[in-house]
Amino acid sequence: MATITGPSLLPEVERFLGTSPLTSVVGGKDVAGSTGETMRTLDPGTGEPLAEFHVLNAADVDRAVQAATHAFKTSGWATMPPNERGVHLQRLADAIEKHKPIIAQIEALDAGKLLAHAAGDVQNCVDTLRYFADMALHVQRRNALAVAGHEAWTVRHPWGACGFIFPWNFPFLLIGWGISPALAAGNTVVIKPAEDTPLSALYLARLARETGIPDGVINVIAGTGAGAGAALSGHPGIRRMSFTGSPEVGRLVGEACGRNLVPVKLELGGKGAAVVFDDVDVLQTAQKLVNAITFHSGQVCCDATRWLVHRSIAKQFTDECVKQMQGVKVGYQLGNGTQMGPVVNAKQRARVLSYLEKGQAQGAEAVLPGGPAEVPGQGGFYVKPALLAGKLDNVAAREEIFGPVAYIATFSNEDEAVAMANDTDYGLANSVWTSDLGRAARVAESMVAGNSWINAHNLFPRGVPYGGVHKSGVGGGVNSIETLFDYWRSQSVVRPL
């Protein structure tokens, strides 16, 4: 098992990781998988095995969907009053909050996150559960319609068993974003975590069972994307599907759901722009954007990875960014003073490094070359922050890298900046930086994406819809009342007078 440096493991974490191999949870029962196959998850900071877990296949996924469907029909979860369902969800939130140090350490070890960031993700999940549990109490599910000659109304019902496939960059936070509205609306869920980071989801399944969530309401199935993931997205028993991950896999999930006519929500990648005008505080803006691109080693789909800077301040801004990026301390995620941890695995490190090579081969200037990072005593998957510059037709400026790599290009006027920001196949999140709030609003509304931010990046206040367009996703967003409505189907009732 992995050698831990920095804070020692909590006893509860040691016991959980030592339960080898870890089982999935289906219908409230521990499930080992029908083939007996197991996999190991690695500590990205050391590259060494962290825990072993059972791998579920298509037959096991079928059992999970059946369990979720059975619970939807018979457990009372779908039909209980919203306040009673809310009691269950609040108790689950209480349990997660009580176990936050444990879950945060599990998440930090499994995903390579800084411990403080992992703790923030756990709290985010808690707050999201509470947000949707409370919202469901106050939403009118039956609405009368003013139709001449008829009595008419609409009523909203939960769909049934909902499938979720989550990525490895924010495993626990995204579980909260995904399943909270579905559960609050009365659905049951089948969760397939990423094979690189299944541990926090498996821990959650045990907490849900301990807190009295009815068996089969929350099912967690660990396995590969090609095995368990494909089986879940293509299962005819799923009534609604949600996938968060790459556009390439998102297309496959969408195709599978289309064959079964299952509505699907796809939250995919991004290549966000930060448009920086010449009236900004250069030092402050550079600091915020460097913090954004190095947060979780740049493994953030909505990050600003294209920095479009007004020509008159480009040199000053670039020099300041280089200075700050050089000062970022790369180290083990539980180590003291670490500011940026590892990327999730060797494949991801190779991907980041390959884009640095391809970008320079196509003419990009390596303002800060980046490259592999050496962390004394650790054999994990570390890279240095990198900054490239040049034309936007470069592969490093057009394709999602998913690492601590930013690309600088310059503009002369507002129209040019907007055109450059919109010159992408993606459409997730952009930001505009200026002290002129009229211009900020104009540019923010002109950028084609699901989200525009002003003088900040990566803002997710609950109540504000968050989602993507084009290659960044379809099927609705998260974090708002619209998300809760996504997990109810609408039915019309009409009587002639």
Side-chain angles (χ1 to χ4, degrees), residues 75 87 89 121 206-207 269 357 487:
S75 71
V87 168
L89 295 178
D121 288 357
R206 287 153 174 77
L207 273 187
E357 294 178 2
Y487 289 100

Coordinates of all heavy atoms in Angstrom, one line a residue, residues 75 87 89 121 206-207 269 357 487:
S75 N -40.4 0.9 -2.0 CA -39.8 1.3 -0.8 C -40.6 2.5 -0.2 O -40.4 2.8 1.0 CB -38.4 1.8 -1.0 OG -38.3 3.0 -1.7
V87 N -36.3 14.6 5.5 CA -35.7 14.2 6.8 C -34.5 13.2 6.5 O -33.4 13.3 7.1 CB -36.7 13.6 7.7 CG1 -36.1 12.8 8.9 CG2 -37.7 14.6 8.2
L89 N -32.8 12.9 3.8 CA -31.7 13.6 3.1 C -30.9 14.4 4.1 O -29.6 14.5 4.0 CB -32.2 14.4 1.9 CG -32.8 13.6 0.8 CD1 -33.3 14.5 -0.3 CD2 -31.7 12.6 0.2
D121 N -14.8 20.1 -1.0 CA -15.7 19.3 -1.8 C -16.7 18.5 -1.0 O -17.9 18.4 -1.4 CB -14.9 18.3 -2.7 CG -14.1 19.0 -3.8 OD1 -14.2 20.2 -3.9 OD2 -13.3 18.3 -4.4
R206 N -22.1 3.2 2.1 CA -22.1 2.7 3.4 C -22.8 3.6 4.4 O -23.6 3.2 5.3 CB -20.7 2.3 3.9 CG -20.2 1.0 3.2 CD -18.7 1.0 3.0 NE -18.2 -0.3 2.5 CZ -18.3 -0.6 1.2 NH1 -18.8 0.3 0.3 NH2 -17.9 -1.8 0.7
L207 N -22.5 4.9 4.3 CA -23.1 5.9 5.1 C -24.6 6.0 4.9 O -25.4 6.1 5.8 CB -22.5 7.3 4.9 CG -21.3 7.7 5.6 CD1 -21.0 9.2 5.4 CD2 -21.4 7.5 7.1
G269 N -16.6 18.7 -21.5 CA -15.4 19.5 -21.3 C -15.5 21.0 -21.7 O -16.6 21.5 -22.0
E357 N 4.4 19.4 -26.0 CA 5.3 19.1 -27.2 C 4.6 19.5 -28.5 O 5.1 20.1 -29.4 CB 5.6 17.6 -27.2 CG 6.5 17.2 -26.0 CD 6.8 15.7 -26.0 OE1 6.3 15.0 -27.0 OE2 7.5 15.3 -25.1
Y487 N -35.6 16.3 -12.9 CA -35.8 15.0 -12.3 C -37.2 14.7 -12.0 O -37.5 13.8 -11.3 CB -34.8 14.8 -11.1 CG -33.4 14.7 -11.6 CD1 -32.5 15.7 -11.5 CD2 -33.0 13.5 -12.2 CE1 -31.2 15.6 -12.0 CE2 -31.7 13.3 -12.7 CZ -30.8 14.4 -12.6 OH -29.6 14.3 -13.1

